[in-house]
């Protein structure tokens, strides 16, 4: 229940929000009484984990929340080794690339290298539903069938008009990834943006990570898609080799 860990629930709710939240909204989302929410918010604001507006009416995640994320990324060997590999890949294909990890039913971005022409917002720490993302599919294609079935059975949301939600089509996408070594997604999460991804496969270890590249569909020609697919496969293999070294 939310009352068991109100502080963590507040941080997670604010971190997931796309805009500032009022106390009333936080109470509704968390099912907590207002005095508890206000008391925990005051503690978090004091420590920098949460920021309040000048009137103390709305709240958002604070810069202090970066501390545990920075510590995690510094300690994570895969994220450290991925840095130069992502840099080379971005230079080769002239696109933004990501390292992502499966976390429950979502994928979360651990590292990124942005291309010069990418004007999008920062993506490290952002989460997306795994079954709808190319990187998530690249990972799930190498995971146990029961795990995939549980995710699909829980329901697949349509994020755009192009989102695939049909069970048979989703399984076909995973089968195609297993056959060709890369997963594709075209405008299913963000309208007009496609993604190509390959899993990082280390012999004897559970597949948890993937390298992906998101590209506006307007410039994702057939030849460019082939170049990207070859690039993410190569980068994923390079990272796997580095992890074994």
């Amino acid at each position: 229940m939310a009352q068991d860990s109100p502080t963590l629930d507040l941080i997670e709710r604010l971190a997931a929000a796309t805009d500032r939240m009022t106390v009333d909204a936080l109470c509704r989302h968390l099912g907590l009484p207002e005095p508890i929410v206000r008391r925990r918010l005051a503690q978090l604001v004091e420590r920098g984990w949460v920021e309040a507006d000048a009137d103390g009416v709305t709240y958002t995640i604070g810069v202090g929340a970066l501390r545990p994320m920075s510590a995690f990324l510094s300690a994570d060997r895969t994220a450290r080794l991925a840095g130069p590999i992502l840099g080379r890949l971005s230079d080769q294909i002239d696109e933004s690339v990501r390292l992502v990890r499966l976390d429950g039913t979502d994928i979360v971005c651990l590292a990124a290298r942005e291309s010069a022409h990418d004007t999008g917002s920062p993506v490290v720490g952002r989460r997306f539903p795994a079954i709808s993302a190319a990187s998530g599919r690249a990972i799930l294609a190498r995971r146990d069938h029961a795990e995939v079935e549980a995710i699909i059975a829980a329901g697949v949301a349509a994020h755009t008009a192009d989102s695939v939600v049909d069970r048979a089509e989703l399984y076909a996408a995973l089968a195609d990834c297993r056959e060709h070594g890369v997963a594709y997604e075209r405008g299913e999460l963000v309208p007009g943006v496609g993604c190509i991804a390959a899993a990082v496969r280390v012999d004897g270890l559970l597949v948890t990570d993937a390298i992906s590249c998101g590209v506006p569909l307007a410039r994702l020609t057939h030849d460019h898609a082939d170049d990207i697919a070859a690039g993410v496969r190569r980068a994923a293999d390079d990272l796997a080799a580095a992890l074994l070294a």
Side-chain angles (χ1 to χ4, degrees):
M1 294 179 62
Q3 281 184 281
D4 295 332
S5 56
T7 301
L8 288 177
D9 290 319
L10 274 170
I11 292 171
E12 290 184 350
R13 178 64 256 179
L14 288 169
T18 57
D19 202 354
R20 305 182 70 92
M21 296 188 70
T22 64
V23 173
D24 286 344
L26 286 166
C27 290
R28 288 196 304 273
H29 278 283
L30 299 175
L32 288 169
E34 183 175 332
I36 289 179
V37 172
R38 288 195 178 276
R39 187 162 61 248
R40 293 303 191 274
L41 282 171
Q43 294 170 340
L44 291 168
V45 168
E46 183 179 356
R47 297 194 178 195
W49 286 66
V50 169
E51 294 178 358
D53 65 13
D55 300 318
V57 175
T58 61
Y59 296 83
T60 188
I61 199 72
V63 70
L66 286 174
R67 290 193 293 266
M69 184 173 76
S70 298
F72 169 79
L73 293 176
S74 296
D76 190 87
R77 183 165 176 258
T78 304
R80 293 200 313 271
L81 291 172
I85 293 171
L86 293 177
R88 289 195 299 271
L89 175 60
S90 182
D91 289 343
Q92 289 164 359
I93 62 177
D94 194 25
E95 298 291 353
S96 296
V97 295
R98 324 272 186 248
L99 169 70
V100 306
R101 179 164 297 165
L102 184 67
D103 182 27
T105 61
D106 295 336
I107 51 100
V108 58
C109 179
L110 299 185
R113 291 296 182 274
E114 309 299 332
S115 69
H117 52 69
D118 193 330
T119 59
S121 59
V123 297
V124 173
R126 290 183 65 185
R127 308 176 70 91
F128 294 100
I131 196 63
S132 300
S135 48
R137 291 173 185 173
I139 297 168
L140 292 174
R142 308 295 174 179
R143 300 288 286 248
D144 184 80
H145 173 80
E147 182 179 5
V148 177
E149 177 60 24
I151 291 174
I152 295 177
V156 181
H159 300 274
T160 73
D162 296 314
S163 294
V164 174
V165 298
D166 178 74
R167 178 187 299 266
E169 290 184 63
L170 290 168
Y171 274 116
L174 297 180
D176 184 75
C177 177
R178 283 190 290 271
E179 180 180 353
H180 297 101
V182 291
Y184 296 87
E185 172 263 305
R186 290 178 174 271
E188 294 183 45
L189 284 173
V190 180
V193 177
C195 188
I196 302 172
V200 179
R201 301 167 60 191
V202 180
D203 290 342
L205 296 181
L206 186 68
V207 174
T208 60
D209 304 315
I211 289 177
S212 69
C213 174
V215 186
L217 294 174
R219 66 169 182 264
L220 191 58
T221 63
H222 181 77
D223 288 344
H224 194 31
D226 285 347
D227 289 341
I228 292 171
V232 295
R233 278 196 303 262
R234 183 171 57 251
D237 289 345
D238 287 347
L239 181 52
L243 288 167
L244 284 172

